[in-house]
């Protein structure tokens, strides 16, 4: 692994080899050198530490990020390094996973991180080998994935990205902390999370999430706009199911200003026929206008999803995350990664919120998303150590960003 550290850590924390560090230290900034990322390395006398400032800091946590040279990461990494996600007393080490193609770009990301002078950012390490980058990770944010190319079927996309997530699951299994929380963003994220989980049996299945917080945020925004209120008054919004066009944004249980959403927005036709498809396909509309997939809002929603796990959920509220359905209270088939309403005590774990009203309209649509995920699972079963399952994609449904 290559390494960059602009750190106030002790030298033993550094991943870059000592020889390389030494060479790097003697290299003037900006001068061409073969030493990997050497220009970024500063050795720092830890006794210079401002003890008063750091006395109450928690032990450093390691956050591994794949697709680290991509657009989403380019927003997210700076939020994490600034302390916005884990708070002002939580130092972080960032482990950036790239590919051979993105290796040099990754160095650029490291340069920018360093130039921000974030006090809480204690290490940045770069690499293209998941087994090294994921070592001792407390969090793994799996953002990197390939988009569906022209002419590709959904099954092809599942196969192509599934292989990547199987490999990353194996790497996490071998080297990450057993308590590592894994947030899968690369699409198709629900099934990628399932594949990753199946290949990482040493990790708790409940610590795997696929990102549907972006869909939740999109739904909150549209409900707020329709009701003519500020976003913050919209609560209890669940996204059920797959992060695809079968997802179900739940207006039945949502609240606006503490009132039932359906009482505040007394327009069932709009809720069913405008709001619902708008959320299911919002990623696509964004691509049409912006010319590329959502990046900043995705990064914000990843930060929101992480904060939701490390902050106690407000009384009476919940958040959406796609999690393992084992033992779920809604009768959804077990062994799927399915978005459901969750609450957290703020210790990184969560519980599924029980007792939401599932009317016929919701039930029918939730079932469709469940069937889609069940089929996706069959198509990737060989990547989960199960042979002989048949793969039938009933309908070539889309990711929110596909047109
Ligand atoms: C989104 O919802 O914006 C993304 O998942 C879109 C995509 O397909 O990349």
């Amino acid at each position: 692994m290559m390494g960059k550290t602009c750190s106030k850590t002790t030298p033993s924390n550094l991943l870059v080899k000592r020889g390389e560090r030494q060479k790097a230290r003697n290299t003037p900034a900006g001068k061409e050198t073969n030493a990997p990322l050497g220009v970024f390395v500063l050795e720092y006398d830890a006794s210079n530490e401002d003890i008063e400032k750091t006395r109450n800091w928690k032990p450093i946590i390691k956050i591994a990020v794949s697709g680290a040279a991509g657009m989403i990461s380019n927003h997210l990494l700076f939020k994490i390094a600034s302390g916005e996600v884990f708070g002002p007393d939580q130092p972080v080490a960032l482990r950036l996973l790239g590919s051979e193609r993105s290796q040099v770009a990754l160095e650029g990301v490291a340069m920018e991180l360093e130039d921000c002078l974030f006090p809480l950012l204690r290490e940045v390490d770069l690499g293209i080998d998941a087994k090294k980058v994921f070592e001792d990770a407390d969090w793994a944010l799996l953002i990197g994935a390939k988009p569906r190319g022209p002419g590709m079927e959904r099954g092809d996309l599942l196969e192509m990205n599934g292989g990547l997530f199987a490999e990353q699951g194996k790497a996490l299994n071998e080297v990450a902390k057993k308590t590592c929380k894994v947030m899968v963003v690369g699409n198709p994220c629900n099934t990628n999370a399932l594949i990753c989980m199946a290949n990482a049996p040493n990790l708790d299945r409940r610590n795997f999430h696929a990102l549907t917080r972006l869909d939740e945020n999109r739904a909150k925004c549209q409900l707020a706009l329709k009701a003519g209120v500020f976003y913050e008054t919209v609560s209890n919004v669940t996204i059920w199911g797959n992060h695809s066009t079968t997802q179900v944004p739940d207006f039945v249980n949502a609240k606006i200003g503490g009132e039932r959403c359906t009482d505040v927005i007394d327009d069932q036709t709009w809720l069913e026929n405008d709001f619902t498809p708008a959320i299911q396909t919002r990623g696509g509309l964004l691509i049409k206008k912006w010319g590329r997939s959502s990046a900043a809002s995705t990064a914000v929603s990843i930060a929101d999803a992480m904060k939701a796990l490390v902050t106690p959920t407000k009384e009476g509220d919940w958040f959406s995350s796609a999690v393992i359905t084992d033992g779920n209270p809604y009768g959804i088939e077990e062994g799927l990664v399915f978005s459901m309403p969750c609450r957290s005590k703020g210790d990184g774990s969560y519980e599924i919120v029980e007792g939401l009203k599932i009317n016929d309209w919701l039930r029918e649509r939730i079932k469709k998303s469940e069937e889609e995920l069940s089929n996706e699972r069959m198509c990737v079963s060989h990547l989960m150590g199960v042979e002989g399952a048949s793969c039938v994609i009933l309908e070539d449904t889309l990711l929110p960003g596909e047109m």
Side-chain angles (χ1 to χ4, degrees), residues 72 147-148 157 185-187 189 211 214-215 218 243-244 247 279-284 286-287 292-295 297-298 398-403:
I72 298 172
R148 189 186 325 201
L157 182 73
V185 179
N187 279 319
C189 60
L211 185 80
L214 175 59
D215 309 292
R218 288 170 171 167
H243 177 65
S244 79
Q247 67 177 270
I279 303 311
Q280 290 168 329
T281 60
R282 190 159 170 87
L286 193 129
I287 291 176
R292 58 153 178 76
S293 198
S294 57
S297 59
T298 303
L398 302 172
L399 297 168
E402 293 172 331
M403 306 300 290

Side-chain angles (χ1 to χ4, degrees), residues 145-165 187-188 191-192 195 375-376 379-380 382-383 391-393 395-397 399 402:
K146 294 203 174 94
R148 189 186 325 201
M152 274 173 75
E153 299 291 330
R154 188 170 179 83
D156 300 330
L157 182 73
L158 283 166
E159 183 67 32
M160 181 176 68
N161 280 327
L164 179 73
F165 284 85
N187 279 319
T191 297
N192 287 342
I195 294 168
N375 280 318
E376 286 189 16
C379 291
V380 299
H382 59 291
L383 297 169
C391 168
V392 188
I393 301 281
E395 199 183 325
D396 191 21
T397 54
L399 297 168
E402 293 172 331

